[in-house]
Amino acid sequence: MSGNAFDTDDDRGCADAENHSHEGVHAERTGIGCETVTCRTLVRLVQGQEYPQATTDLRYDSAEPFSVGLEFNVGTDRSVEWTFGRELLVSGLRRLSGLGDVQIWPSRIRGAELVFISLHSGDSTDLVAAPAIVIKAFLERTLAVVPLGEETRYLDIQSATAQLLNET
């Protein structure tokens, strides 16, 4: 990697920067009418003057159409998992979005287009810098599976209602 800690030339992950292909973004049918989109890439953790890389998995499941999952390994045996709104991630590509535990915003550092994701839990806040092209490729694939505004068509309300009634 070059001298710029945020240079993403080698961190394309899910997308090829030259032709915007979806290499590395995988879709899989997980049941009747259900599809999962996954993407593994490298991100930078912003920790003071240090910017260590972490392997990250982005996940989207049409059975839970409003949310995306973010799981990253911070160099230990333990993974850190977060779930937040897909629409928050879409909005964060254009402007600062989110209140509370998750905030997302676009940035450009020395020519690299990035998406910053701030994750707050208790007394700690983690800041993740991901290549914008990777986030865009992942979101394009999720939007092909479930377009924005059509999420409720993919919710299994009958199963959820039956489960709630059985638990009471």
Side-chain angles (χ1 to χ4, degrees), residues 14 25-26 35-41 43 55-73 79-90 102 104 117 119 128 130 134-135 138-139 142:
C14 312
V25 179
H26 303 283
E35 192 168 344
T36 300
V37 177
T38 59
C39 171
R40 176 165 284 174
T41 192
V43 298
T55 301
T56 303
D57 290 321
L58 291 160
R59 290 193 187 95
Y60 178 77
D61 188 341
S62 65
E64 297 179 23
F66 289 103
S67 63
V68 295
L70 171 68
E71 178 180 354
F72 56 97
N73 182 305
S79 294
V80 177
E81 297 180 50
W82 283 82
T83 301
F84 48 89
R86 178 178 67 157
E87 196 167 336
L88 174 63
L89 190 56
V90 169
V102 180
I104 302 171
I117 303 171
L119 306 165
V128 177
V134 172
I135 301 297
F138 171 74
L139 284 172
T142 71

Side-chain angles (χ1 to χ4, degrees), residues 6 9 14 26 34 48 86 92 97 103 105 112 117-118 125-126 142 149:
F6 294 103
D9 285 347
C14 312
H26 303 283
C34 292
R86 178 178 67 157
S97 300
Q103 292 184 309
W105 65 93
I117 303 171
S118 175
T125 299
D126 293 313
T142 71

Side-chain angles (χ1 to χ4, degrees), residues 111-149:
E113 288 187 42
L114 301 167
V115 174
F116 281 90
I117 303 171
S118 175
L119 306 165
H120 179 77
S121 176
D123 292 338
S124 68
T125 299
D126 293 313
L127 185 57
V128 177
I133 194 154
V134 172
I135 301 297
K136 288 175 186 176
F138 171 74
L139 284 172
E140 284 175 13
R141 189 59 183 260
T142 71
L143 295 170
V145 172
V146 178
L148 279 180

